[in-house]
Amino acid sequence: TKSSVVVNGRMQADLRVVPAKSFGAALQYFTGSKEHNVALREIAVRAKLRLNEYGLFREAGPDKGRQIAGADEEGIYKALGLAWVPPELREDRGEVVAAGAGKLPDLLSPQDIRGDLHMHTTASDGRNTIEEMIQACRALGYKYMAITEHSKSQVQANGLDEARLAEHVGAIRAAAARHKDIVVLAGIEVDVLKDGRLDLPDGVLAELDVVTASPHSALSQEGKGATERLIRAVENP
């Protein structure tokens, strides 16, 4: 019931095979986190139940050993007197208490996202044109978007120098004028150099709507130097 498989010849994944009646229990158990699972097991123990990757079982009475939940996650949480907890919250940071009180927060969903401020096109290392990215964002219901190519030091990513960036910004502005139903911003993912300087002049960056600063090299700097590098970058006006 347990093995490892190689997916697409590259990624190793653990494979567990369990009965359908245990699928939810296994999913919950291996999703974790460990701390969250411990909190659930403590609730189970107090209720004279036993929780593991195979299900939730009676631990006392004439039906000791009988499985009472496990086919799905929701059934396990319900049997423990809890609302189902989304995986993103399972860290034992108050979510178990909130689930017991029916006060779990609503998480963001894809429908809540109104825009994207970081994307690349064929101008650097993206696979789609400006027009195609606009169409994709419109299909997602976005109200705004920013095209932020790599800057010139990222040669392997076809980063833009000052001249190519100026031309690209012109193309973005022209596309924005054609598409009034979505805000199309011109930006750059400017590289943070080893000493904290940015990869393009301040005057060039000032002409853009959005500037994202990203270190891509010299990532093994010692702590003090790395911190000073990032501070210098964020202090750039």
Side-chain angles (χ1 to χ4, degrees):
T1 63
K2 181 191 302 185
S3 66
S4 292
V5 297
V6 177
V7 182
N8 294 329
R10 296 189 302 273
M11 182 182 297
Q12 180 174 315
D14 292 333
L15 175 65
R16 290 293 295 259
V17 179
V18 297
K21 65 180 181 179
S22 298
F23 179 81
L27 180 63
Q28 192 284 319
Y29 180 88
F30 289 106
T31 297
S33 67
K34 176 183 176 181
E35 293 76 12
H36 179 83
N37 288 352
V38 168
L40 295 189
R41 289 198 294 271
E42 289 175 348
I43 293 174
V45 169
R46 290 196 294 270
K48 294 182 170 52
L49 301 170
R50 173 170 49 90
L51 176 63
N52 56 33
E53 64 265 43
Y54 297 104
L56 184 64
F57 303 88
R58 296 283 186 194
E59 276 289 272
D63 58 350
K64 179 179 179 179
R66 182 172 70 86
Q67 181 176 343
I68 63 172
D72 54 55
E73 290 188 330
E74 290 82 357
I76 292 173
Y77 284 95
K78 183 177 180 180
L80 293 175
L82 305 172
W84 176 77
V85 179
E88 297 90 336
L89 296 178
R90 299 178 191 175
E91 299 291 345
D92 192 28
R93 296 180 178 177
E95 77 280 359
V96 175
V97 173
K103 295 183 178 180
L104 285 170
D106 293 327
L107 299 184
L108 290 176
S109 70
Q111 291 71 34
D112 296 316
I113 299 174
R114 290 291 175 261
D116 189 332
L117 295 177
H118 187 116
M119 63 188 71
H120 303 304
T121 72
T122 51
S124 61
D125 63 349
R127 296 183 178 180
N128 298 92
T129 65
I130 295 172
E131 286 290 334
E132 289 170 338
M133 294 302 289
I134 292 173
Q135 296 296 341
C137 288
R138 179 182 288 116
L140 290 169
Y142 288 175
K143 301 301 182 184
Y144 60 88
M145 57 182 287
I147 296 175
T148 53
E149 310 293 353
H150 288 288
S151 60
K152 59 185 179 182
S153 70
Q154 290 300 295
V155 177
Q156 77 284 358
N158 193 28
L160 278 60
D161 60 16
E162 291 87 337
R164 290 180 59 214
L165 177 59
E167 181 180 358
H168 187 53
V169 168
I172 295 172
R173 302 294 189 209
R178 293 192 298 271
H179 299 278
K180 299 295 187 180
D181 60 322
I182 183 171
V183 176
V184 182
L185 303 174
I188 192 75
E189 181 184 1
V190 65
D191 206 48
V192 179
L193 304 179
K194 185 176 181 179
D195 61 0
R197 290 179 298 113
L198 300 184
D199 194 27
L200 291 168
D202 291 349
V204 172
L205 299 177
E207 297 297 318
L208 303 173
D209 303 312
V210 176
V211 175
T212 298
S214 302
H216 290 97
S217 59
L219 300 180
S220 60
Q221 285 179 304
E222 50 82 26
K224 184 175 183 295
T227 300
E228 291 174 349
R229 173 190 189 184
L230 295 180
I231 290 175
R232 182 176 182 183
V234 298
E235 287 179 342
N236 185 290

